[in-house]
Amino acid sequence: MNKERIEWDQYFMLQAILLSTRSTCNRLSVGSVLVRDKRIIAGGYNGSVSKDDHCIDKGCYLVDGHCVRTIHAEMNAILQCAKFGEITNDAEIYVTDFPCLQCTKMLVQAGVKKINYLRNYNNDDYALKLLEKMNIKINQIKIDDETIKKIPFDNFLSN
């Protein structure tokens, strides 16, 4: 019997999707995984600063239409690398939603060479121009029914 393996891009994106389920944001659940040499070096999801109030408990803290309480998933992954001494240069990120302008600039400065994303989300024109100028690749990943069918859920679900 030949077992079909999930492609690397789908594998890492599924990890980002799983991380998004930890989000504490009421408005959008986002997950991200930083990868270098096909190895996960960090993960993040959007949520509050550790030990602060969470939006799911207290509501969003909105200023000018943005929740100022939330740290974006990409930023949490980069901060995890900073905290634990992991190099981000030449890494790739897998993120469930295309990064905002601020996260795009941060990823450029951190040396990320490729942004893999699942869904478009208010893609900023300047962010797209900046990525092109810096020769940072962008790649939209598809998770389809065939990919999902390769996951042996039955092996892990109790009766």
Side-chain angles (χ1 to χ4, degrees):
M1 174 174 139
N2 276 345
K3 177 181 172 186
E4 283 193 64
R5 297 173 75 191
I6 292 175
E7 298 293 325
W8 283 112
D9 282 342
Q10 282 79 20
Y11 170 78
F12 292 124
M13 187 57 72
L14 288 168
Q15 299 290 326
I17 291 168
L18 186 59
L19 274 165
S20 76
T21 67
R22 292 286 305 155
S23 170
T24 62
C25 179
N26 287 324
R27 299 171 68 206
L28 183 67
S29 295
V30 180
S32 68
V33 176
L34 274 168
V35 174
R36 195 176 55 249
D37 299 323
K38 299 215 180 329
R39 182 176 71 86
I40 295 172
I41 59 173
Y45 53 86
N46 57 330
S48 303
V49 172
S50 296
K51 299 180 183 145
D52 192 15
D53 294 330
H54 293 285
C55 298
I56 57 174
D57 299 326
K58 301 285 185 172
C60 291
Y61 182 12
L62 296 177
V63 175
D64 296 329
H66 297 283
C67 182
V68 296
R69 181 180 285 138
T70 300
I71 300 174
H72 291 188
E74 304 93 324
M75 189 179 296
N76 267 326
I78 294 288
L79 290 170
Q80 190 177 84
C81 287
K83 187 174 184 177
F84 296 108
E86 189 65 51
I87 296 169
T88 57
N89 200 46
D90 291 330
E92 294 184 40
I93 193 162
Y94 289 80
V95 61
T96 56
D97 296 88
F98 194 89
C100 70
L101 176 58
Q102 296 305 319
C103 285
T104 298
K105 292 188 294 185
M106 179 199 53
L107 294 169
V108 168
Q109 286 297 96
V112 170
K113 66 179 180 180
K114 187 174 182 183
I115 297 172
N116 300 284
Y117 66 98
L118 183 64
R119 301 178 292 210
N120 286 303
Y121 181 73
N122 299 330
N123 298 8
D124 185 88
D125 287 337
Y126 177 65
L128 293 167
K129 288 176 188 172
L130 184 62
L131 293 171
E132 183 178 348
K133 181 178 183 179
M134 300 299 173
N135 295 314
I136 295 173
K137 296 175 184 164
I138 57 172
N139 179 36
Q140 188 170 20
I141 305 295
K142 302 288 186 203
I143 302 292
D144 57 16
D145 289 342
E146 291 304 310
T147 303
I148 301 300
K149 287 177 186 175
K150 293 177 187 175
I151 303 171
F153 288 111
D154 293 343
N155 293 350
F156 301 101
L157 301 175
S158 60
N159 296 343

